[in-house]
Every structure is written in C-alpha cells, then in structure tokens.
Amino acid sequence: MIGAASAYLPAPPMIWIGGMHGAGKTTIADRIARRYDLPCQHIDAFTYAHLPLMSPLEPLDDQLALGTDHAVEVWHRVCAERIPLVINDIRDRTAGDVPVVVEGPQLSPAGAASYGVPGAVWLVAGAARTARVRRDRAAAANDAAGQARAERLAQRDAAVLRRLRASLEATGRPRIEVDDRPDWDAVHDEVVGALGTVLQKARRLEQGGPLRAQRAYENTALVQQGLLWREAAGIAVLPSVEFACECGRSGCAGTRRGTPEGYQRASARGPVLAEGHVAL
C-alpha cells in the first residue's frame, strides 16, 4: 500500500479536510465521502506504515521535554515529510479521476496551492476543545501515558493552532470555526458550502465493484494500522473500530464494528456488511 515518495508525478485529485486534533476532521470527511460516493483517506490509519519511510524521530516525550517551540518544529517537519507519502498512498488506490477525501492536519494552507488542491477546507477548534478531546481519548483508551502527557501536548497544539490561524489569514483559504460543543450537521453543511463547485462537480465512484473496492481499501488500511500498532506497542487485545460497509450501494453510510482480526475473518467470506445490508 505504501511506496517511496514520487514528487515528480502530479498529485492525484484530492479534497482535503484539514485542522487540528479534535476538530472533527474524521467525522466530516466520513460524512462527505459517504454522501458523495467518494474514497476517503484517514491519514492516521497509515501512521505506522509511514514510520519506516521517514527520518528517525525522537520519542514524543523527549520532544515535549525540550520545550513547546521544539515540539512544534518537529510537528511541522513530520507533516512536511508525510505529504509525499500521503500522495503516493492515494495514487496507489487507483481511483482515477475520482477525488479522494483526505482528512489530516499535515497539509498547510500554503501547501494546498503547491500540491494543486483546489478543494481544501480547515476545521478550526479552540485550544480548550483540542485539549479536552486529547484527555478524553486517552482516558477512554485507558492510556495512562497519554493522560500524563496531555497537558504538554495541549501547549504544543495551541502553538500549532496559532500558526494555522495566521496561515489561513495570510492565504485566504476557507476555514470553519468549530464550537466547543459542535453541531456536526451544521459543520457538515458549512464544509460542503465552502468546497462549493469542487465538490458538486466531483466525479463519483460507480455503484457495485468500484465503490465496494474503495471501502475495502479503507478497511484494510485500518486493519494494517491496528496490527502494526499491536506489534509496536505490545498490545494483547486490539480495540474494536468502525469498518465501512462494503455493500457497494450509493450513499451507504453503514458501518460494522469489530476488531482487525474479526474483519480479516469476515472479509475472507466476502464483503463486510453493516447489519441488514446486502451486497449490490
């Protein structure tokens, strides 16, 4: 799924949902991809696959111990290194001229022009929400280490957010302010409006095989991430996640919850379907 960066090739068509941790990128990207029958690329699902292809990285706690400014610079360097890898991942999907909805913080507003991404919007949440989401996720995952570093991460995130706001002001790229207690329907509608004709005119995946193949690709990426995470962190039992329904029907937003191992067993028997769904 992952290849060496090929910067000399033109970037495949993308629609990018950017923003910081906890701003709702995943929620909105999923909604848009399902509604418009587009592939969806969650960059977090490729974190462990990207690591061997990147420069050696000091442990996160070491970054934070050296101060907020250092942690911010490392964060931006990692983002810049990952963009070519993300582009290769998308190219490998063989979606043709169907744009892939990508969600992640890696693309800067200035970078959107460099990579020829006309359809890009940034979700901007306040620093307080970002910090709370980090704490809540660490607690839900029973991640004691994550809870311990949450406050230092909040300081880094706040500094990155200030840079993002300044870049959005300088470039005039569209942004959506996300409240502390968001109305996701309203945020979705604002994002659709900001993307405008880029989204409305986007070519869509055909029902059946083409749509099913892209959802299966997304699910397989989640499985790969989970297995690599387990190996790296020594996790005995992986948590359940939401896998996209592979029925291949237009507009399907169904999901099936399960572990990576459960998905592998189910997919060996055929398309993985949401409850009550039938493959087209």
Side-chain angles (χ1 to χ4, degrees):
M1 297 171 69
I2 309 294
S6 301
Y8 58 87
L9 293 175
M14 296 179 282
I15 293 173
W16 199 293
I17 311 296
M20 292 298 295
H21 187 84
K25 301 182 299 298
T26 300
T27 298
I28 299 304
D30 275 337
R31 287 195 183 194
I32 289 175
R34 305 303 186 260
R35 175 180 172 183
Y36 291 93
D37 295 336
L38 299 173
C40 193
Q41 190 89 352
H42 301 294
I43 296 178
D44 280 353
F46 293 82
T47 297
Y48 283 98
H50 285 173
L51 284 177
L53 304 175
M54 297 174 61
S55 302
L57 188 64
E58 60 194 318
L60 179 57
D61 287 334
D62 291 348
Q63 298 172 30
L64 296 170
L66 290 172
T68 299
D69 290 345
H70 175 77
V72 169
E73 293 307 319
V74 172
W75 190 90
H76 282 289
R77 174 173 63 80
V78 170
C79 287
E81 279 198 48
R82 289 192 72 184
I83 290 292
L85 302 178
V86 171
I87 289 174
N88 272 2
D89 295 339
I90 295 170
R91 190 179 291 116
D92 289 346
R93 294 187 68 152
T94 62
D97 58 358
V98 177
V100 176
V101 179
V102 189
E103 65 93 3
Q106 289 79 12
L107 187 68
S108 68
S114 299
Y115 285 96
V117 185
V121 63
W122 282 262
L123 304 181
V124 182
R129 172 175 171 78
T130 299
R132 190 185 75 250
V133 170
R134 279 202 180 278
R135 288 193 296 268
D136 290 349
R137 290 179 180 175
N142 197 26
D143 181 1
Q147 291 174 273
R149 70 172 68 96
E151 295 307 317
R152 285 182 294 171
L153 276 173
Q155 295 174 17
R156 184 202 67 177
D157 291 345
V160 173
L161 179 60
R162 288 193 292 272
R163 287 197 187 186
L164 174 60
R165 286 186 179 278
S167 182
L168 287 166
E169 289 289 345
T171 60
R173 283 283 183 167
R175 71 183 183 192
I176 308 298
E177 296 288 343
V178 177
D179 295 337
D180 193 48
R181 303 291 178 181
D183 176 344
W184 293 121
D185 290 337
V187 174
H188 168 272
D189 291 345
E190 285 191 70
V191 171
V192 170
L195 292 172
T197 58
V198 171
L199 181 58
Q200 298 296 335
K201 294 182 177 181
R203 182 178 176 185
R204 305 185 184 192
L205 294 166
E206 296 179 8
Q207 288 197 95
L211 184 52
R212 179 163 49 251
Q214 294 298 324
R215 297 295 177 245
Y217 178 96
E218 294 155 19
N219 290 337
T220 301
L222 289 176
V223 170
Q224 175 184 249
Q225 172 78 351
L227 297 180
L228 291 173
W229 177 38
R230 181 175 65 186
E231 180 181 351
I235 298 170
V237 180
L238 288 170
S240 296
V241 296
E242 297 287 343
F243 292 98
C245 179
E246 298 172 7
C247 69
R249 295 183 183 277
S250 176
C252 177
T255 60
R256 175 169 169 173
R257 190 164 190 84
T259 63
E261 297 93 341
Y263 174 85
Q264 288 179 316
R265 291 192 295 270
S267 63
R269 299 190 294 270
V272 175
L273 306 172
E275 185 176 356
H277 289 222
V278 178
L280 188 66

